[in-house]
């Protein structure tokens, strides 16, 4: 979390020598993907004007009964910890077909004593537009734990999603018991990340053994005793420090042992070797070789790209890929990150958010192991240069078949206007609409009051919580109430949502690739891990179809190698697909709008 001018220049000349392993991987990948592309359709057609619909987002937090409020634990000492905010996670913890909500909370510090005990909160989706606080019954409050982020997945393949909550000093793994309660199994599992400052986390099956492994990003070596005075020494001008004042920590990779325990393989895998200042992580297949890779947004530090070598290890290609730095060689304040195929070529592109006076970067996947900075070529440019991008998610908010960019903003310095009069602490949401082929326009002002009201945004998760076919938004704001923004109108275009149920593969089907063909247009999506900033989103894979009313085929390539080819797939439905079986009955109740 830096300001412009504090990043280091990239010195990367030595990093451009490709190793023989990486060259071989790229060559094999290029051949395999070229073969696939020759057999597929020509890709997505340019966006048609008749696919444009009117979408508005409505904040229903109050009517939904959500009373959680994030406590910033703010003091005049400007503890670095205070400004980070906390994440939000979507989880269908009771498997009733409705997405529930988990808000991560902070905790008391040695100099901040809240008026009431602080704890995270789990809200049950009642299916009628309201939510009920079930934290106490579920046992996931984590009182006394200074929480940061959350990652959701079924790590033991028992059919119920579990919660991993990152935090300052330690993390917590809550095992879902399947009866509405959870058990803290952190010690047994061996994933406490003790003594570290964990921020984001993500689940994926890096060795494709059918069990989900865990990546944890850690931040910096900060303690109350090492808290520095930053900013001017006059009343009101003290500010939160730049991470450049502190040493970075290391990324952790935990391998699932299939028995409820994990082994720390950070060093042996290569993932934990470089120093990092990790903020966001996305786990996806970036070279289309069928194996999941790791991309990490680092703060004033080179971003990471670790390519899976299929043998339990990863190759650090951060510099040679072009993801490590901006186009002009600067390490910026990387925070939120996600991946999507923005131009319809079947390859995952990457977006990373940064602070004001920096650019939010869109990296285009060149299909040869490298990425180019397309920030200006995509039409995004400097349209958000006065905003501090914290979280972001790709989503197709209007169901036209192209992934759009949702960005949550909020300055890190609550007194930023004293230093930059044109910048505000609280900032509005941002939506870049994909016009087709990865060209974007800013449309935030047309989406309703929820996109105009300034907030100090931090955690961001997306989900179709009312099961009506369009994507809704949950936001955790620093020192304030959250927001629950319901998408009204996105389902005027056609759509499909797919819940994956793995059998040979991990139960959640994370790492699967889905290729949908509809009226001659092919759209490829991946089931990814991580994403956003310290938050978890709906695991169901979403396809917007625009005005197309027929799906010719849906092909799912599972991590196990199983490929399911489905015909007669319905439109405007949420379907459950079981590996090796096909579409299976599953109830996804439609929530009426209030």
């Amino acid at each position: 979390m830096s300001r412009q001018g504090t990043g280091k220049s990239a010195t990367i000349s030595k990093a451009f020598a490709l190793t023989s392993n990486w060259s071989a991987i790229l060559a094999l990948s290029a051949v395999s993907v070229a073969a696939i592309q020759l057999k597929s359709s020509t890709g997505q057609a340019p966006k048609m004007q008749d696919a444009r619909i009117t979408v508005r987002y409505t904040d229903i937090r109050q009517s939904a009964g959500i009373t959680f409020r994030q406590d910033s634990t703010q003091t005049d000492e400007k503890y670095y910890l205070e400004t980070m905010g906390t994440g939000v996670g979507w989880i269908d913890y009771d498997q009733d077909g409705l997405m529930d909500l988990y808000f991560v909370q902070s905790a008391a510090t040695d100099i901040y004593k809240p008026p009431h005990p602080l704890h995270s909160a789990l809200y049950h989706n009642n299916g009628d537009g309201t939510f009920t606080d079930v934290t106490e019954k579920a046992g996931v409050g984590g009182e006394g734990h200074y929480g940061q982020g959350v990652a959701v997945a079924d790590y033991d393949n028992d059919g119920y999603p579990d919660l991993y909550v990152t935090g300052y000093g330690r993390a917590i793994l809550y095992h879902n018991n399947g009866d509405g309660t959870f058990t803290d199994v952190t010690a047994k599992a061996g994933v406490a990340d003790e003594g570290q400052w964990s921020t984001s986390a993500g689940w994926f099956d890096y060795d494709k053994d059918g069990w989900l492994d865990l990546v944890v990003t850690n931040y910096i070596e900060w303690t109350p005793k090492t808290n520095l005075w930053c900013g001017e020494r006059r009343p009101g001008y003290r500010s939160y420090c730049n991470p450049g004042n502190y040493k970075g920590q290391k990324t952790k990779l935990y391998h699932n042992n299939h028995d409820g325990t994990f082994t720390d393989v950070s060093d042996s895998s290569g993932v934990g070797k470089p120093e990092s200042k990790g903020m966001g992580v996305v786990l996806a297949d970036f070279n289309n070789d069928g194996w999941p890779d790791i991309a990490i947004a680092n703060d004033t530090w080179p971003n990471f790209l670790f390519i899976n070598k299929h043998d339990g290890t990863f190759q650090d290609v951060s510099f040679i890929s072009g993801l490590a730095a901006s186009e002009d060689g600067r390490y910026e304040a990387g925070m939120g990150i996600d991946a999507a195929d923005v131009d319809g070529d079947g390859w995952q592109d990457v977006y990373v958010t940064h602070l004001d006076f920096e650019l939010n970067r869109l990296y285009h996947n060149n299909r040869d192991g490298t990425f180019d900075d397309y920030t200006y070529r995509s039409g995004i440019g400097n349209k958000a240069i006065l905003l501090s991008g914290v979280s972001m998610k790709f989503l197709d908010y209007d169901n036209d078949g192209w992934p759009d960019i949702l960005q949550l903003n909020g300055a890190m310095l609550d007194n930023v206007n004293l230093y930059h009069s044109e910048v505000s602490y609280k900032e509005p949401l941002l939506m870049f609409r994909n016009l087709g082929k990865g060209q974007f326009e800013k449309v935030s002002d047309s989406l309703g009051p929820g996109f105009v009201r300034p907030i100090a945004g931090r955690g961001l998760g997306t989900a179709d919580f009312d099961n009506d076919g369009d994507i809704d938004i949950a936001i955790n704001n620093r020192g304030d109430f959250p927001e629950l923004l319901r998408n009204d109108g996105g389902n005027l275009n056609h759509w499909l949502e797919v819940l994956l149920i793995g059998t040979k593969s991990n139960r959640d089907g994370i790492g699967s690739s889905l290729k949908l063909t509809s009226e001659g247009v092919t759209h490829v999506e991946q089931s990814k891990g991580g994403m956003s900033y310290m938050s978890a989103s709906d695991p169901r894979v979403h396809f917007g179809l625009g005005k197309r009313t027929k799906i010719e085929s849906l092909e799912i390539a599972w991590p196990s190698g199983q490929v399911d080819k489905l015909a007669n797939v319905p439109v405007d439905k949420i379907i459950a697909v079981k590996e090796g079986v096909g579409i299976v009955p599953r109830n996804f109740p439609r929530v009426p709008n209030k």
Side-chain angles (χ1 to χ4, degrees):
M1 296 178 295
S2 70
R3 309 209 58 77
Q4 186 179 13
T6 58
K8 307 176 187 65
S9 297
T11 305
I12 58 178
S13 57
K14 294 182 180 178
F16 281 89
L18 292 172
T19 67
S20 58
N21 285 343
W22 173 235
S23 299
I25 293 172
L26 287 179
L28 290 171
S29 174
V31 170
S32 62
V33 172
I36 293 171
Q37 287 184 325
L38 285 172
K39 294 179 182 179
S40 68
S41 74
T42 57
Q44 291 176 302
K47 182 177 297 224
M48 302 301 292
Q49 189 65 32
D50 64 1
R52 185 182 286 269
I53 57 175
T54 299
V55 176
R56 304 278 285 184
Y57 276 93
T58 304
D59 186 359
I60 63 166
R61 191 268 308 171
Q62 285 185 287
S63 63
I66 296 173
T67 59
F68 173 87
R69 185 168 189 168
Q70 202 271 347
D71 193 318
S72 66
T73 70
Q74 184 161 337
T75 68
D76 292 338
E77 290 299 308
K78 298 289 184 179
Y79 273 10
Y80 202 119
L81 190 63
E82 300 167 3
T83 191
M84 297 284 283
T86 52
V88 58
W90 289 98
I91 174 173
D92 182 6
Y93 76 94
D94 55 356
Q95 291 294 281
D96 63 355
L98 294 162
M99 297 304 299
D100 311 298
L101 257 178
Y102 186 77
F103 294 99
V104 182
Q105 182 61 286
S106 57
T109 68
D110 60 338
I111 58 172
Y112 176 80
K113 307 304 176 187
H116 51 80
L118 299 178
H119 59 78
S120 298
L122 177 63
Y123 282 87
H124 177 258
N125 187 336
N126 299 323
D128 60 359
T130 68
F131 289 74
T132 298
D133 188 336
V134 295
T135 310
E136 186 174 356
K137 177 188 175 184
V140 291
E143 188 174 327
H145 176 236
Y146 203 114
Q148 291 284 263
V150 57
V152 175
D154 179 6
Y155 76 85
D156 59 348
N157 292 332
D158 66 354
Y160 288 89
D162 310 295
L163 282 168
Y164 185 74
V165 184
T166 62
Y168 178 74
R170 64 185 177 93
I172 301 174
L173 177 60
Y174 291 111
H175 175 258
N176 190 331
N177 299 321
D179 60 0
T181 69
F182 291 75
T183 300
D184 182 342
V185 296
T186 315
K188 175 192 173 185
V191 292
D193 201 32
E194 198 74 36
Q196 304 298 297
W197 184 351
S198 52
T199 53
S200 293
W203 297 94
F204 73 151
D205 183 5
Y206 76 89
D207 56 354
K208 301 207 291 188
D209 64 355
W211 298 77
L212 289 174
D213 312 298
L214 178 66
V215 173
V216 182
T217 62
N218 290 306
Y219 193 37
I220 57 174
E221 297 288 348
W222 173 92
T223 69
K225 292 181 179 179
T226 61
N227 195 57
L228 303 175
W229 183 297
C230 293
E232 298 181 27
R233 287 187 176 270
R234 51 177 169 148
Y237 276 76
R238 185 172 185 177
S239 63
Y240 295 103
C241 291
N242 181 285
N245 291 293
Y246 300 93
K247 188 181 189 310
Q249 296 186 328
K250 302 288 185 77
T251 304
K252 287 296 184 77
L253 175 59
Y254 295 100
H255 177 261
N256 193 325
N257 298 326
H258 313 174
D259 61 359
T261 69
F262 292 77
T263 298
D264 185 342
V265 295
S266 309
D267 290 339
S268 61
S269 68
V271 171
K273 290 183 178 180
E275 181 182 345
S276 66
K277 297 183 180 181
M279 298 290 264
V281 60
V282 59
L283 308 168
D285 180 5
F286 291 104
N287 59 358
N288 281 357
D289 65 353
W291 292 75
D293 311 304
I294 304 169
I296 294 174
N298 283 312
D299 192 359
T300 67
W301 203 255
N303 298 320
F304 292 158
L305 178 60
F306 295 105
I307 294 296
N308 195 323
K309 294 175 65 177
H310 313 173
D311 60 0
T313 69
F314 290 80
Q315 184 169 2
D316 184 350
V317 299
S318 306
F319 290 106
I320 59 177
S321 69
L323 275 183
S326 65
E327 190 171 34
D328 53 355
R330 291 188 300 125
Y331 306 149
E332 298 173 302
M335 296 186 70
I337 188 171
D338 197 5
D341 175 14
V342 302
D343 55 355
D345 65 357
W347 294 69
Q348 294 287 302
D349 310 296
V350 177
Y351 188 86
V352 182
T353 64
H354 301 107
L355 296 191
D356 50 86
F357 300 105
E358 297 177 336
L359 300 183
N360 303 287
R361 302 286 175 178
L362 177 63
Y363 293 98
H364 175 260
N365 192 327
N366 296 325
R367 298 180 283 180
D368 62 359
T370 69
F371 291 77
D372 281 341
D373 187 338
Y374 265 41
T375 305
Y376 276 99
R377 278 174 276 187
S378 66
I380 295 171
N382 64 355
K383 292 178 181 176
I385 198 166
L386 295 180
L387 300 177
S388 290
V390 180
S391 303
M392 66 79 49
K393 272 288 280 109
F394 282 111
L395 78 168
D396 186 358
Y397 80 94
D398 56 356
N399 283 343
D400 66 358
W402 294 94
D404 311 299
I405 296 172
L406 170 66
Q407 181 174 311
L408 177 62
N409 307 294
M412 292 296 117
L413 307 184
D414 53 349
N415 57 357
V416 66
N417 63 303
L418 297 179
Y419 291 93
H420 297 274
S421 59
E422 66 273 45
V423 176
S424 300
Y425 167 56
K426 293 185 176 183
E427 301 169 342
L429 272 170
L430 182 65
M431 184 79 82
F432 285 115
R433 182 173 185 259
N434 193 334
L435 301 175
K437 297 294 182 182
Q439 294 298 305
F440 293 86
E441 69 172 353
K442 182 181 174 183
V443 296
S444 316
D445 293 345
S446 69
L447 297 179
F451 269 79
V452 177
R453 184 173 78 89
I455 54 177
R458 295 297 186 260
L460 169 68
T462 59
D464 182 9
F465 84 87
D466 49 5
N467 289 339
D468 67 350
D470 48 34
I471 304 301
D472 313 297
I473 302 167
I475 295 169
N476 207 351
N477 293 317
R478 178 183 184 248
D480 205 348
F481 293 105
E483 291 177 80
L484 178 56
L485 300 178
R486 187 186 64 210
N487 185 324
D488 295 325
N491 55 12
L492 294 176
N493 276 329
H494 297 293
W495 54 276
L496 174 73
E497 290 176 24
V498 183
L499 175 70
L500 299 172
I501 305 173
T503 53
K504 291 181 291 184
S505 302
N506 65 86
R507 175 82 178 194
D508 292 339
I510 294 174
S512 299
S513 179
L514 293 80
K515 184 170 73 173
L516 180 147
T517 302
S518 171
E519 299 182 15
V521 177
T522 297
H523 187 69
V524 178
E525 288 282 355
Q526 293 185 19
S527 175
K528 301 182 289 287
M531 301 174 285
S532 189
Y533 167 72
M534 305 201 305
S535 298
S537 293
D538 195 330
R540 297 172 295 189
V541 180
H542 176 265
F543 292 93
L545 302 175
K547 301 304 179 185
R548 290 173 275 129
T549 59
K550 185 178 179 182
I551 297 173
E552 280 81 49
S553 65
L554 176 64
E555 182 176 306
I556 303 174
W558 299 83
S560 67
Q562 169 77 27
V563 177
D564 291 330
K565 298 180 180 180
L566 310 179
N568 302 314
V569 177
V571 172
D572 299 336
K573 297 287 186 183
I574 305 175
I575 61 172
V577 179
K578 191 171 186 178
E579 182 179 11
V581 177
I583 299 175
V584 295
R586 191 74 176 256
N587 187 33
F588 301 100
R590 178 75 173 263
V591 177
N593 287 350
K594 286 193 173 184

